[in-house]
Amino acid sequence: LVNRSIGSSGINAEYGDVGMDHVIICTKKNRKLDQHLVRRLPHPYKNRSTFEREMRQPIGPQWNSVKAFRNMIKPSETVLDGHIIEPISVPKGFDKVPSKRSRGKKLQI
């Protein structure tokens, strides 16, 4: 246990475990946990709260009924065996190939 004395300096008063002998709050950064943190918001989410709400909901069959679990993991598009999948079309403006002369030049914005 780390014994901190409560002084009038105010530095020790910022800890949340002041006055609790049975509690130790570690303020060190966990570097092993840091690799699992999300740096940017993933594609389909518009804001942080919706992403965090989705991540809080467990997906496994242990927490949900079998029917709900199957609906959660069901792919959004299904194609029967043997059917041809048409390629996506290129949006307007993306079908132009840049000329060799324009390579290396910066875009004017």
Short mmCIF file of all heavy atoms in Angstrom, two decimals, residues 2 5 9 31 34 40 47 49 55 83 91:
data_model
loop_
_atom_site.label_atom_id
_atom_site.label_comp_id
_atom_site.label_asym_id
_atom_site.label_seq_id
_atom_site.Cartn_x
_atom_site.Cartn_y
_atom_site.Cartn_z
N VAL A 2 0.40 2.22 -0.73
CA VAL A 2 1.10 3.49 -0.75
C VAL A 2 0.42 4.40 0.27
O VAL A 2 -0.79 4.61 0.23
CB VAL A 2 1.04 4.14 -2.15
CG1 VAL A 2 1.71 5.49 -2.13
CG2 VAL A 2 1.69 3.23 -3.16
N SER A 5 -0.01 11.14 2.70
CA SER A 5 -0.47 12.01 3.78
C SER A 5 -1.31 13.13 3.19
O SER A 5 -1.00 13.67 2.12
CB SER A 5 0.71 12.59 4.54
OG SER A 5 1.50 13.38 3.66
N SER A 9 -1.25 21.17 0.75
CA SER A 9 -0.74 21.59 -0.56
C SER A 9 -1.79 21.44 -1.66
O SER A 9 -1.72 22.10 -2.67
CB SER A 9 0.51 20.78 -0.92
OG SER A 9 0.17 19.42 -1.05
N ARG A 31 -0.30 0.40 -21.24
CA ARG A 31 0.12 0.35 -22.65
C ARG A 31 -0.39 -0.88 -23.37
O ARG A 31 -0.59 -0.85 -24.58
CB ARG A 31 1.63 0.43 -22.74
CG ARG A 31 2.13 1.78 -22.28
CD ARG A 31 3.61 1.90 -22.39
NE ARG A 31 4.00 3.14 -21.74
CZ ARG A 31 4.88 3.97 -22.25
NH1 ARG A 31 5.46 3.70 -23.37
NH2 ARG A 31 5.19 5.07 -21.61
N ASP A 34 -3.81 -0.03 -24.54
CA ASP A 34 -3.81 1.04 -25.53
C ASP A 34 -3.95 0.51 -26.96
O ASP A 34 -4.54 1.17 -27.80
CB ASP A 34 -2.53 1.85 -25.39
CG ASP A 34 -2.61 3.18 -26.08
OD1 ASP A 34 -3.71 3.76 -26.11
OD2 ASP A 34 -1.58 3.63 -26.61
N ARG A 40 -10.25 6.11 -34.38
CA ARG A 40 -11.21 6.90 -35.16
C ARG A 40 -12.56 6.20 -35.12
O ARG A 40 -12.64 5.00 -34.90
CB ARG A 40 -10.75 7.02 -36.61
CG ARG A 40 -9.47 7.80 -36.78
CD ARG A 40 -9.07 7.94 -38.23
NE ARG A 40 -9.00 6.61 -38.86
CZ ARG A 40 -9.21 6.39 -40.14
NH1 ARG A 40 -9.50 7.38 -40.94
NH2 ARG A 40 -9.12 5.18 -40.64
N ASN A 47 -21.78 9.28 -34.72
CA ASN A 47 -21.24 9.92 -33.53
C ASN A 47 -20.79 8.87 -32.52
O ASN A 47 -21.08 7.69 -32.65
CB ASN A 47 -22.24 10.90 -32.90
CG ASN A 47 -23.55 10.24 -32.56
OD1 ASN A 47 -23.62 9.03 -32.43
ND2 ASN A 47 -24.59 11.03 -32.41
N SER A 49 -21.58 8.35 -29.34
CA SER A 49 -22.55 7.71 -28.44
C SER A 49 -23.22 6.50 -29.09
O SER A 49 -23.44 5.48 -28.42
CB SER A 49 -23.59 8.72 -27.98
OG SER A 49 -24.33 9.20 -29.08
N MET A 55 -21.44 -1.14 -29.06
CA MET A 55 -20.38 -1.98 -28.52
C MET A 55 -20.74 -2.53 -27.14
O MET A 55 -20.24 -3.58 -26.74
CB MET A 55 -19.06 -1.20 -28.42
CG MET A 55 -18.46 -0.85 -29.77
SD MET A 55 -18.06 -2.31 -30.73
CE MET A 55 -19.28 -2.25 -32.01
N HIS A 83 -25.87 -17.59 -58.90
CA HIS A 83 -26.30 -16.32 -59.47
C HIS A 83 -25.11 -15.39 -59.70
O HIS A 83 -24.13 -15.41 -58.96
CB HIS A 83 -27.31 -15.62 -58.54
CG HIS A 83 -28.66 -16.25 -58.58
ND1 HIS A 83 -29.60 -15.92 -59.53
CD2 HIS A 83 -29.23 -17.19 -57.80
CE1 HIS A 83 -30.68 -16.63 -59.33
NE2 HIS A 83 -30.49 -17.42 -58.29
N PRO A 91 -19.25 6.06 -59.78
CA PRO A 91 -19.97 7.33 -59.70
C PRO A 91 -19.46 8.32 -60.74
O PRO A 91 -18.32 8.24 -61.21
CB PRO A 91 -19.67 7.83 -58.29
CG PRO A 91 -19.18 6.66 -57.54
CD PRO A 91 -18.59 5.73 -58.53
#
